[in-house]
Amino acid sequence: MAPSLSPGPAALRRAPQLLLLLLAAECALAALLPAREATQFLRPRQRRAFQVFEEAKQGHLERECVEELCSREEAREVFENDPETDYFYPRYLDCINKYGSPYTKNSGFATCVQSPAMTTSTSPDAPRTQHPDLPDQCTPNPCDRKGTQACQDLMGNFFCLCKAGWGGRLCDKDVNECSQENGGCLQICHNKPGSFHCSCHSGFELSSDGRTCQDIDECADSEACGEARCKNLPGSYSCLCDEGFAYSSQEKACRDVDECLQGRCEQVCVNSPGSYTCHCDGRGGLKLSQDMDTCEQLEAGWPLPRHRRDSGPAARPGRGAQGSRSEGHIPDRRGPRPWQDILPCVPFSVAKSVKSLYLGRMFSGTPVIRLRFKRLQPTRLVAEFDFRTFDPEGILLFAGGHQDSTWIVLALRAGRLELQLRYNGVGRVTSSGPVINHGMWQTISVEELARNLVIKVNRDAVMKIAVAGDLFQPERGLYHLNLTVGGIPFHEKDLVQPINPRLDGCMRSWNWLNGEDTTIQETVKVNTRMQCFSVTERGSFYPGSGFAFYSLDYMRTPLDVGTESTWEVEVVAHIRPAADTGVLFALWAPDLRAVPLSVALVDYHSTKKLKKQLVVLAVEHTALALMEIKVCDGQEHVVTVSLRDGEATLEVDGTRGQSEVSAAQLQERLAVLERHLRSPVLTFAGGLPDVPVTSAPVTAFYRGCMTLEVNRRLLDLDEAAYKHSDITAHSCPPVEPAAA
């Protein structure tokens, strides 16, 4: 029997030491060489280390199959391959048949199992003739064909020499080169069976070295962004549009951004190409705040209660009822909020005298005071009062009976006192005395004497008229007299000579029939609207709570037959504003509820989003021209507007404003205005009716002094088709003096 090849005790002690040395050598080489070269270097070392493993295998064989009975699977675990297991296990069964199982403790069994003929040679260089029955381990080839360079027979074992990029005992496992330093790729490393390759992110291309990446300039393609501007970026590009536009990748074009869908405005938002504008309810006393998106209160005392705004049928031109809010009105999304008084930028002296009576409160011409006296005995009229006015025409008082009986009317025409009287069905008119509409106080008296009426100014008689009869008329056993102040008890057309009854005048220290009228003073004290401003100047005062309107025609029909009509709008406004926002002049088309033309003060530049005090000239919602103005300097300014076919100009204090539209846009807007002028329009002063806030750049009421001249005609507010009762037609409070 051949000598046993089992390792002795010394060899077993050396085996772990050799194993550690081999592993240390492999780790050192792996640390110095790349993964691919290190793998190839280690494989021959593994082959030479089989001697140590063979010694260990013998120890396992003795423990598993000599000391105990082992199955084929347990023998496979010892040899770790099928060829050696297939060679050993039939012979192992022969040893059991010959010597019995390991449990019989027959020494011949152990010798039989551990004989060289039973186990693989420990030397990989041993000649195959040592075991002629041991088959070639590389036939058939156990190594993976795709990853193997060659298979080496190790006499009962085999070794697979792997190609680059492959690993594992059978060379069937791919080596992931990307797991270490990204395979040397700058951006993306792609592993694949037995190899790898580099690639780049979108917007980059692979350089010639196959590892690094360089940026692609997409903007070199003129069609990259279409209509938009192209900006190249590292690995990408951007298509740029102007502010207010967004790029559409599908259309390759810039499209307007509808900022109104983003809820930027507190109340009403109007989108426009590349921009948007916010609008506030000017009639409700609001204007745009500094951020150009939210609204703030316009001025002190705003907003007026709904029932205090322009009320009555005349306040709603062209309609019998005002109706609900039209399109463009959006309630405050933030809900109710406490209103704060925001003072006007120019404070006016609006203090009133409780001992005065304002005669112009009733625009309808009806009296502000009605008195009825009854006497048991015949009585003569005695009336005296102080009077102040800048108004050239209007009625001071009426005294007498009914329309067809005896009466007198004391009035003012062309600044002088006029007396109309009717006795026994005969009417007369007389006028005399100085001009008294100079704004200074003077005392006026009317005294009925026997067969005479005497009118005095400052104690000087200016009229003495012989009359045939008495003003107190008998009725049912008593003598009656009706006395009205600031109007007449019948229509002005029934006067001896028609006159405009509306009189912007003030009365104080009145005395009717020796002071028998104490109730008037008590009534005036509790009603500030019946009181006069303590101090006034010439002009018209718009308190910021209403408007006036006229029915004017702006079309001119030529005398020559067949010649087309022309149109013209010329406006000269002398203004002394108290606030920086409000409508000065406007045209309104009742049928379309449109604002064909407006001239207004505004405190912002809508397109540039700048806070600035301006005068704006607009057709509908489009601004044609803008001009800066120093609203808050307390001085009078002159705003001049001229529009005709092909031309539109705006001037402030002689300086021409800047156009906001192109020549083509101007012609288009003027054509729109002309179409409106060919239909009925109303001329508004100081504000607008209840229109959508988007109808014009400004819808707020004007606050301050103003006189208007339209097409070379001075507009008298007493002659308007309607005037808000808070507007004074011929008097305006002065600016408060600056504090010392």
Side-chain angles (χ1 to χ4, degrees):
M1 181 177 294
S4 173
L5 296 179
S6 300
L12 289 174
R13 286 195 300 270
R14 290 193 302 272
Q17 298 173 358
L18 290 172
L19 177 61
L20 290 174
L21 289 172
L22 287 170
L23 291 174
E26 293 172 2
C27 292
L29 288 171
L32 296 174
L33 295 175
R36 205 177 286 180
E37 288 84 347
T39 303
Q40 297 304 313
F41 178 81
L42 287 174
R43 284 186 178 127
R45 300 289 296 173
Q46 293 170 351
R47 184 175 60 193
R48 290 193 291 274
F50 284 163
Q51 291 176 328
V52 178
F53 296 140
E54 287 298 323
E55 292 177 4
K57 185 191 298 182
Q58 290 293 339
H60 294 320
L61 181 65
E62 182 175 353
R63 183 174 61 253
E64 297 292 337
C65 296
V66 176
E67 296 177 359
E68 296 181 2
L69 181 65
C70 68
S71 65
R72 189 183 187 286
E73 286 74 14
E74 292 171 327
R76 175 67 175 78
E77 292 178 1
V78 174
F79 291 99
E80 297 181 350
N81 64 80
D82 291 332
E84 285 187 279
T85 303
D86 294 340
Y87 178 80
F88 165 79
Y89 201 71
R91 289 164 177 76
Y92 176 71
L93 296 178
D94 290 343
C95 291
I96 292 175
N97 293 332
K98 187 174 181 180
Y99 298 102
S101 72
Y103 305 115
T104 62
K105 304 299 183 181
N106 189 327
S107 60
F109 175 76
T111 302
C112 177
V113 173
Q114 294 176 345
S115 67
M118 287 288 288
T119 60
T120 305
S121 172
T122 60
S123 173
D125 299 324
R128 292 189 56 81
T129 56
Q130 187 175 356
H131 299 295
D133 296 330
L134 189 63
D136 184 351
Q137 302 301 296
C138 289
T139 304
N141 190 351
C143 305
D144 184 78
R145 179 181 301 177
K146 188 175 182 180
T148 303
Q149 181 176 334
C151 176
Q152 184 176 0
D153 180 24
L154 299 180
M155 303 298 294
N157 202 350
F158 61 90
F159 174 72
C160 300
L161 180 63
C162 300
K163 297 178 182 178
W166 294 92
R169 186 170 187 270
L170 301 180
C171 298
D172 57 350
K173 301 196 182 316
D174 172 58
V175 175
N176 185 5
E177 295 87 351
C178 299
S179 63
Q180 294 188 7
E181 298 182 358
N182 201 37
C185 300
L186 180 63
Q187 292 187 356
I188 304 173
C189 179
H190 297 279
N191 184 59
K192 61 182 182 179
S195 183
F196 74 102
H197 73 275
C198 300
S199 67
C200 301
H201 296 302
S202 176
F204 294 88
E205 60 183 359
L206 197 64
S207 302
S208 57
D209 60 9
R211 294 178 181 272
T212 60
C213 299
Q214 60 185 12
D215 176 56
I216 298 173
D217 185 2
E218 294 86 354
C219 294
D221 180 5
S222 60
E223 297 298 322
C225 290
E227 299 176 2
R229 302 189 306 277
C230 183
K231 180 181 180 181
N232 189 54
L233 301 172
S236 182
Y237 68 102
S238 178
C239 296
L240 305 179
C241 298
D242 293 335
E243 185 178 1
F245 293 87
Y247 182 70
S248 170
S249 57
Q250 294 181 343
E251 303 176 30
K252 286 192 173 184
C254 293
R255 292 292 176 256
D256 174 56
V257 175
D258 189 349
E259 295 87 353
C260 296
L261 297 178
Q262 302 169 4
R264 296 194 180 185
C265 298
E266 180 178 340
Q267 287 198 340
V268 177
C269 181
V270 177
N271 187 59
S272 59
S275 185
Y276 70 101
T277 54
C278 296
H279 296 260
C280 299
D281 183 9
R283 286 175 51 86
L286 299 177
K287 67 175 183 176
L288 277 179
S289 57
Q290 190 72 28
D291 61 12
M292 305 297 291
D293 290 335
T294 58
C295 301
E296 67 183 16
Q297 193 174 349
L298 183 61
E299 57 189 47
W302 282 101
L304 291 174
R306 288 280 179 182
H307 69 277
R308 291 276 301 279
R309 299 186 192 168
D310 301 323
S311 58
R316 299 178 284 277
R319 292 182 180 269
Q322 187 172 4
S324 61
R325 285 281 182 184
S326 52
E327 61 178 6
H329 174 76
I330 297 178
D332 189 345
R333 295 192 309 271
R334 299 180 298 184
R337 59 181 178 182
W339 294 104
Q340 299 177 353
D341 285 346
I342 301 177
L343 294 177
C345 63
V346 178
F348 278 54
S349 298
V350 293
K352 293 187 175 183
S353 171
V354 296
K355 295 183 178 181
S356 62
L357 176 63
Y358 180 56
L359 305 185
R361 186 171 67 90
M362 306 300 290
F363 179 73
S364 61
T366 57
V368 296
I369 294 293
R370 295 174 184 264
L371 299 173
R372 184 173 179 84
F373 298 95
K374 298 179 181 180
R375 295 291 185 268
L376 295 173
Q377 301 295 327
T379 306
R380 294 190 177 99
L381 170 66
V382 177
E384 184 178 81
F385 51 88
D386 291 343
F387 179 68
R388 180 192 70 190
T389 189
F390 289 101
D391 197 339
E393 185 173 328
I395 292 178
L396 281 78
L397 62 83
F398 164 92
H402 54 77
Q403 174 184 335
D404 298 325
S405 64
T406 300
W407 50 260
I408 66 169
V409 171
L410 183 64
L412 202 65
R413 193 190 299 269
R416 286 184 168 86
L417 288 176
E418 176 182 278
L419 184 65
Q420 298 193 28
L421 60 162
R422 183 183 296 275
Y423 281 81
N424 301 320
V426 178
R428 287 185 295 169
V429 177
T430 183
S431 177
S432 182
V435 173
I436 63 172
N437 66 327
H438 43 58
M440 304 295 291
W441 287 104
Q442 41 239 306
T443 303
I444 299 175
S445 64
V446 178
E447 185 176 1
E448 184 182 12
L449 302 175
R451 305 303 178 184
N452 286 293
L453 279 175
V454 179
I455 312 298
K456 296 180 181 179
V457 175
N458 296 328
R459 306 294 190 273
D460 293 332
V462 295
M463 284 183 278
K464 186 175 182 180
I465 303 104
V467 295
D470 299 321
L471 293 176
F472 272 86
Q473 296 292 304
E475 182 181 347
R476 296 180 182 178
L478 295 174
Y479 292 89
H480 295 259
L481 175 74
N482 295 321
L483 190 148
T484 63
V485 179
I488 55 177
F490 48 83
H491 199 277
E492 59 264 25
K493 68 180 179 59
D494 295 320
L495 289 168
V496 178
Q497 183 175 328
I499 192 173
N500 189 331
R502 304 177 184 101
L503 178 62
D504 178 7
C506 186
M507 189 178 290
R508 72 181 182 185
S509 302
W510 54 83
N511 185 346
W512 319 114
L513 297 176
N514 300 316
E516 298 179 11
D517 59 319
T518 55
T519 56
I520 300 177
Q521 187 65 60
E522 298 303 320
T523 303
V524 173
K525 282 183 179 180
V526 298
N527 191 342
T528 58
R529 291 193 170 193
M530 297 182 69
Q531 300 169 11
C532 305
F533 292 121
S534 297
V535 183
T536 59
E537 297 177 349
R538 192 180 298 274
S540 301
F541 181 63
Y542 295 77
S545 57
F547 54 77
F549 69 81
Y550 305 79
S551 180
L552 305 178
D553 187 9
Y554 296 91
M555 299 300 298
R556 292 182 175 179
T557 303
L559 298 177
D560 297 336
V561 178
T563 306
E564 291 187 0
S565 300
T566 59
W567 63 274
E568 180 184 37
V569 179
E570 286 192 358
V571 179
V572 179
H574 293 261
I575 62 172
R576 186 150 43 89
D580 56 11
T581 303
V583 175
L584 304 177
F585 169 90
L587 300 181
W588 186 56
D591 294 340
L592 300 176
R593 298 189 61 79
V595 183
L597 181 66
S598 64
V599 182
L601 298 177
V602 66
D603 67 341
Y604 64 91
H605 194 297
S606 60
T607 56
K608 295 181 180 179
K609 303 291 182 183
L610 295 176
K611 274 288 187 179
K612 185 182 294 186
Q613 293 175 344
L614 301 165
V615 178
V616 57
L617 168 63
V619 170
E620 293 182 337
H621 57 273
T622 303
L624 302 186
L626 295 170
M627 182 61 200
E628 288 192 52
I629 183 174
K630 294 181 179 179
V631 171
C632 299
D633 60 2
Q635 302 299 312
E636 182 177 273
H637 299 276
V638 180
V639 177
T640 305
V641 171
S642 178
L643 299 102
R644 54 179 56 86
D645 188 19
E647 179 184 354
T649 60
L650 167 66
E651 292 183 0
V652 175
D653 297 329
T655 303
R656 187 162 181 168
Q658 181 179 354
S659 176
E660 293 292 301
V661 293
S662 65
Q665 290 173 322
L666 175 61
Q667 296 307 313
E668 185 272 333
R669 291 287 87 192
L670 291 177
V672 170
L673 175 59
E674 182 179 358
R675 287 197 297 271
H676 282 296
L677 294 179
R678 293 184 179 278
S679 300
V681 295
L682 296 177
T683 300
F684 277 74
L688 283 167
D690 194 7
V691 298
V693 296
T694 56
S695 300
V698 179
T699 58
F701 297 118
Y702 170 71
R703 179 180 174 88
C705 293
M706 177 173 63
T707 58
L708 281 174
E709 183 180 315
V710 178
N711 284 356
R712 294 165 293 280
R713 170 192 170 187
L714 184 64
L715 297 187
D716 186 343
L717 286 169
D718 287 337
E719 298 175 357
Y722 164 79
K723 177 183 74 67
H724 191 280
S725 59
D726 288 341
I727 298 174
T728 58
H730 293 275
S731 60
C732 187
V735 175
E736 288 186 355

